Amino acid sequence: MSSFFTLPASQKKRKRNEAIPDPSDKRRNTYASASKSKIAPPTRAKRDESISGSESDDNGEDRQNGAQEDEFEDGSESENDVVTGAERRLRLAEQYLENIKGEVDEVGFDAAEIDKDLIAERLKEDVAETKGRLYRRIASTLAFSEATAAHFRADTSSTTSVATCPPYVYTVSKDLTLIKWRLPKSSPISRNRKSQPPFRRRPMLVCFTRGKRNESDSPKFQHHTLPILSVAASEDGRFIATGGADKRLIIWAAGNLTPLRVFTQHRDAVTSLAFRRGTNQLYSCSKDRTIKTWSLNELAYVETLFGHQDSVVDIAALAQERCLSVGARDRTARLWKVVEETQLVFRGGGNIKEKKRPQTEPDQNGTEIATINQQSEGSIDRVAMIDEETFVTGSDNGSLSLWTLQKKKPVFTVPTAHGLDPPLTLEESSAEQPHILAQMTPPTTQQPRSITALTTVPYSDLILSGSWDGHVRAWRVSDDKRKLEALGPIGLAQPDPPSPPLVAIRGVINDISVFERGERSTGGICITVAVGKELRLGRWMKFKGKNGAVVFEVPRLDRNTEQQTEANGDG
């Protein structure tokens, strides 16, 4: 009797698994086996098990369960790989924090400094800059009394304007010259003055170009034929724009100062230029009482803005598509919203009422000198934007005014910001013959010094102004944006005991340009000043001094001093 046990092996029937495996399972199992082979080679028993079939349904089910377990193991191994990468990043972050702690321990732990690096703080600042609001308080962190100065010049006439695009400075003068300078790198300023010589390195002349007065009748001549009055540099370092008394606006290649395009749309002298922040859109103003916009990417004229009733002498712009101009003796500042094609008018010209003062005051020699209790504003000559909602203006009566878009009148005014001139002599005040002058009484009235230069660090509380008193003066916007606080002249420590101030700059300051060293002014600020013997727009006053420019390097305060300053300010 035959049975299964008596049949030969060749006649035995093998049961096969009738279930067809899913193709996706095959691919997954193949990928899993391949990934496992990279990690560790399988044993011979497992390989035989995967090749040989099952002799029963139970064995088939066990094989499927084994495959699922293999898939689970492979998934757990991939999860371990992800965790390992996260752990690696965590270890790097911990090592970075330990390095920072080591650096902080050298100078002391400063929680406020670490808080500034938090993501939330950065996001708040980004939002504030996007909305065009003042968000940086840097005036109290700078050591203005420790600033170092270096005078540089070429053989030129009065320097009328200056523009900076780090590491280069561009100056223009009344003898039709445009000069490109390279600024030196800022040197670390030691707190021990005896161990370190003062910073005296001057900028290096890179290249220059000069116009010709006798080419005024040649329309093909691509240069200026009358004094250059203004200069501006694009933020990307590609373009330089200059405007002159010859009604020309010339665009130059910043690299080698070759002319790219000459525009002659203005009908009178081009008095000021300003680039829109972060773009190559240019605004120009002129004595023809207009403002024109230009696109330098296409080297094309865009449009003209009308509204001023007198010569437009200064213009400023920030990131939004709008500009701010002042109209000299029409005594208005106008904010031009280019997209909306509208303008806001802010009217000056009021009298500045000071506190009660005696009618006369003794001068250094004991002579009684008449004082002026009310200063009339004849013209607004300078303007600078603090943020998109706040700006400051300077006038011919020496007043420095703070404005906001919510009010048509200034919210705060500093009278005679740069002091008063001594009284004029009889020879200066009268053209009479000498025998008649001998019978006249010398004048005793002091005249205020006009604001001839004004600039700001955008979106911060720092303002810089200049005149012919020999100093660049720094001002701080209060926390509530309602006042201006004097920080004193730059580069001069307060003498103790008080003594007559030393003159840092000889001549009149015609323009100021400033930029920050390092991110968020970590290396201080660099201030470049255009100086001349004559005023920018005329020759009705002459001063003793030198034509050229001065560069100031203003360092940051050390942390201990900065904390003390902030504590005093809060108190």
Side-chain angles (χ1 to χ4, degrees):
M1 185 172 78
S2 64
S3 66
F4 179 81
F5 298 100
T6 60
L7 288 174
S10 61
Q11 298 180 4
K12 290 181 182 179
K13 294 182 179 180
R14 187 184 299 272
K15 290 184 179 181
R16 298 184 181 273
N17 188 12
E18 298 179 356
I20 300 174
D22 190 9
S24 61
D25 292 339
K26 281 186 177 183
R27 288 194 296 270
R28 187 160 56 248
N29 292 337
T30 305
Y31 174 77
S33 61
S35 61
K36 290 185 66 176
S37 64
K38 293 181 181 178
I39 299 173
T43 59
R44 183 180 183 83
K46 289 183 179 181
R47 187 167 59 251
D48 294 340
E49 226 174 41
S50 63
I51 296 174
S52 62
S54 172
E55 295 183 358
S56 64
D57 294 334
D58 296 335
N59 292 337
E61 292 174 0
D62 293 339
R63 182 175 60 82
Q64 292 178 359
N65 294 334
Q68 293 176 359
E69 291 176 0
D70 291 342
E71 291 175 3
F72 177 78
E73 291 177 0
D74 294 338
S76 63
E77 288 174 359
S78 62
E79 290 177 0
N80 291 334
D81 292 339
V82 174
V83 172
T84 303
E87 290 177 351
R88 186 181 299 109
R89 290 191 293 271
L90 181 61
R91 285 197 299 270
L92 291 174
E94 290 175 350
Q95 184 178 0
Y96 175 72
L97 290 176
E98 289 177 358
N99 295 337
I100 291 180
K101 289 180 180 179
E103 295 177 359
V104 171
D105 290 340
E106 296 178 0
V107 293
F109 183 80
D110 189 2
E113 191 69 19
I114 294 178
D115 290 341
K116 289 180 182 178
D117 294 334
L118 294 176
I119 298 177
E121 190 71 21
R122 296 290 182 93
L123 290 176
K124 289 180 181 179
E125 293 185 357
D126 291 342
V127 172
E129 184 171 359
T130 302
K131 293 183 177 181
R133 297 174 181 171
L134 185 151
Y135 67 95
R136 290 188 300 160
R137 301 285 174 179
I138 66 172
S140 59
T141 66
L142 298 172
F144 293 104
S145 61
E146 299 181 12
T148 58
H151 189 278
F152 63 99
R153 56 166 297 188
D155 189 13
T156 61
S157 298
S158 294
T159 305
T160 55
S161 184
V162 62
T164 53
C165 181
Y168 298 105
V169 175
Y170 302 89
T171 60
V172 292
S173 58
K174 287 189 174 182
D175 60 356
L176 291 65
T177 304
L178 168 63
I179 307 178
K180 179 180 180 180
W181 309 80
R182 180 190 292 274
L183 282 170
K185 295 182 180 179
S186 60
S187 61
I189 298 179
S190 174
R191 298 298 164 189
N192 187 2
R193 289 280 185 143
K194 296 181 180 179
S195 63
Q196 181 181 2
F199 182 80
R200 294 298 182 191
R201 290 189 300 169
R202 299 178 179 178
M204 181 182 66
L205 192 148
V206 179
C207 59
F208 73 95
T209 178
R210 180 172 293 179
K212 296 180 180 179
R213 293 181 181 270
N214 55 3
E215 295 287 344
S216 58
D217 297 333
S218 174
K220 295 183 179 180
F221 183 65
Q222 292 190 327
H223 212 299
H224 288 283
T225 58
L226 288 177
I228 307 176
L229 303 179
S230 58
V231 62
S234 63
E235 205 169 303
D236 59 2
R238 294 173 55 195
F239 303 107
I240 303 298
T242 58
D246 55 358
K247 313 175 188 178
R248 295 188 177 191
L249 170 63
I250 303 181
I251 310 301
W252 311 81
N256 52 6
L257 299 184
T258 57
L260 301 177
R261 186 74 182 271
V262 178
F263 295 104
T264 58
Q265 278 83 347
H266 277 294
R267 297 183 178 182
D268 208 333
V270 181
T271 55
S272 185
L273 302 167
F275 275 95
R276 180 184 168 197
R277 189 177 174 89
T279 68
N280 287 326
Q281 185 175 357
L282 179 68
Y283 301 101
S284 65
C285 63
S286 170
K287 287 185 177 181
D288 62 4
R289 299 179 293 179
T290 65
I291 293 98
K292 295 184 184 294
T293 61
W294 317 82
S295 176
L296 297 195
N297 290 329
E298 293 82 13
L299 293 177
Y301 159 78
V302 179
E303 64 176 327
T304 302
L305 307 175
F306 298 91
H308 278 289
Q309 304 302 314
D310 195 24
S311 301
V312 189
V313 292
D314 200 10
I315 194 168
L318 287 180
Q320 295 186 12
E321 196 167 355
R322 54 176 64 177
C323 62
L324 183 69
S325 61
V326 288
R329 295 199 173 273
D330 70 358
R331 293 175 292 186
T332 62
R334 296 175 186 256
L335 180 70
W336 306 86
K337 298 181 180 180
V338 178
V339 177
E340 294 88 343
E341 296 183 354
T342 60
Q343 57 176 294
L344 298 178
V345 183
F346 304 88
R347 300 193 180 276
N351 292 333
I352 303 167
K353 297 182 180 179
E354 300 180 358
K355 295 181 180 180
K356 292 184 179 180
R357 296 173 54 186
Q359 295 297 321
T360 59
E361 289 182 355
D363 63 359
Q364 297 178 359
N365 301 324
T367 305
E368 293 292 329
I369 297 177
T371 58
I372 303 174
N373 288 330
Q374 290 185 353
Q375 301 287 342
S376 297
E377 188 175 46
S379 67
I380 304 178
D381 298 329
R382 282 297 191 174
V383 65
M385 298 185 72
I386 299 171
D387 57 22
E388 301 290 353
E389 299 179 352
T390 314
F391 63 95
V392 62
T393 60
S395 306
D396 64 344
N397 65 343
S399 62
L400 201 63
S401 301
L402 180 67
W403 305 71
T404 62
L405 299 189
Q406 286 73 31
K407 292 190 68 175
K408 298 299 182 181
K409 290 289 184 179
V411 296
F412 187 80
T413 300
V414 180
T416 60
H418 283 259
L420 300 171
D421 272 336
L424 298 175
T425 62
L426 284 173
E427 290 78 9
E428 293 173 339
S429 61
S430 177
E432 297 291 344
Q433 297 295 326
H435 65 279
I436 300 178
L437 290 177
Q439 302 174 3
M440 297 175 62
T441 304
T444 58
T445 303
Q446 292 179 295
Q447 296 296 325
R449 299 185 180 101
S450 304
I451 304 296
T452 58
L454 189 63
T455 190
T456 63
V457 177
Y459 306 110
S460 76
D461 60 343
L462 181 60
I463 301 171
L464 301 172
S465 64
S467 185
W468 56 80
D469 61 339
H471 305 293
V472 176
R473 298 186 181 272
W475 310 84
R476 186 176 78 90
V477 182
S478 62
D479 295 338
D480 57 357
K481 298 183 183 180
R482 307 289 295 181
K483 292 182 180 179
L484 294 179
E485 301 171 0
L487 300 178
I490 294 176
L492 293 179
Q494 191 68 22
D496 189 20
S499 60
L502 299 177
V503 177
I505 300 174
R506 296 181 59 192
V508 58
I509 298 174
N510 285 321
D511 199 9
I512 303 174
S513 182
V514 60
F515 67 91
E516 301 174 71
R517 295 279 194 184
E519 185 180 3
R520 301 167 186 255
S521 301
T522 54
I525 61 174
C526 179
I527 304 169
T528 309
V529 179
V531 184
K533 297 180 181 180
E534 300 173 353
L535 295 172
R536 180 174 70 102
L537 298 178
R539 304 181 64 182
W540 59 86
M541 294 180 70
K542 289 191 176 183
F543 305 90
K544 296 180 180 179
K546 294 182 179 180
N547 297 322
V550 181
V551 57
F552 291 93
E553 293 286 348
V554 183
R556 283 182 69 97
L557 292 169
D558 56 1
R559 293 186 177 179
N560 296 330
T561 308
E562 185 176 337
Q563 290 174 358
Q564 276 185 344
T565 304
E566 291 179 356
N568 295 334
D570 296 338

